[in-house]
Amino acid sequence: QVQLAESGGGLVQPGGSLSLSCAASGLPFTRSTMAWFRQAPGKEREFVAGIRLRDNNKFYGDSVKGRFTIARDNAKNTVTLTMNSLNAEDTAVYYCAAEPRSMILSAIWAGQLDSWGQGTQVTVSS
């Protein structure tokens, strides 16, 4: 059974930085695809970033390109999302998702991953 444990959310001031972590278990980590999505109140779920662990290809949503970075730690079966230059529009619940296979970008973007974490709140406010 796949389990995803997210951590690192919280309150940060505009312009600040925050890192989220997603520790995965129960899946072949190095052959999987993992991604972050977010959902703000009253808005649809939005793709943030994804990583195809087999070839280390990384993908980003348009609204976070150049500000967010997704990275892997194979030793810890963990994917991190480092978020810089945060603004109020980044406020949302952030979800980690995983699929135990390599996926094409369109499928990742569409959220076609089997396992999802509980979510962690990120609030950007002064």
Side-chain angles (χ1 to χ4, degrees), residues 13 25 35-36 39 59 71 85-86 103 109 120:
Q13 291 188 340
S25 60
W36 288 95
Q39 189 164 21
F59 312 100
S85 301
L86 287 162
M103 299 174 68
W109 193 288
T120 185

Side-chain angles (χ1 to χ4, degrees), residues 9 12-13 18-19 22 48 66 69 74 84-85 101 108 116 126:
V12 63
Q13 291 188 340
L18 202 62
S19 288
C22 178
V48 175
T69 302
N74 287 349
N84 297 318
S85 301
R101 61 183 176 90
I108 302 170
W116 292 78
S126 55

Side-chain angles (χ1 to χ4, degrees), residues 105-121:
L105 175 56
S106 59
I108 302 170
W109 193 288
Q112 296 173 5
L113 297 91
D114 266 354
S115 301
W116 292 78
Q118 299 277 359
T120 185
Q121 176 70 46

Side-chain angles (χ1 to χ4, degrees), residues 3 5 7 19 24-25 29 38-39 60-61 64 66 73 78-79 82-83 93 95-96 98 104 118-119:
Q3 291 189 326
S7 60
S19 288
S25 60
F29 186 74
R38 67 186 182 185
Q39 189 164 21
Y60 296 94
V64 307
D73 183 339
T78 296
V79 168
T82 301
M83 305 181 291
V93 178
Y95 296 91
C96 175
I104 60 175
Q118 299 277 359

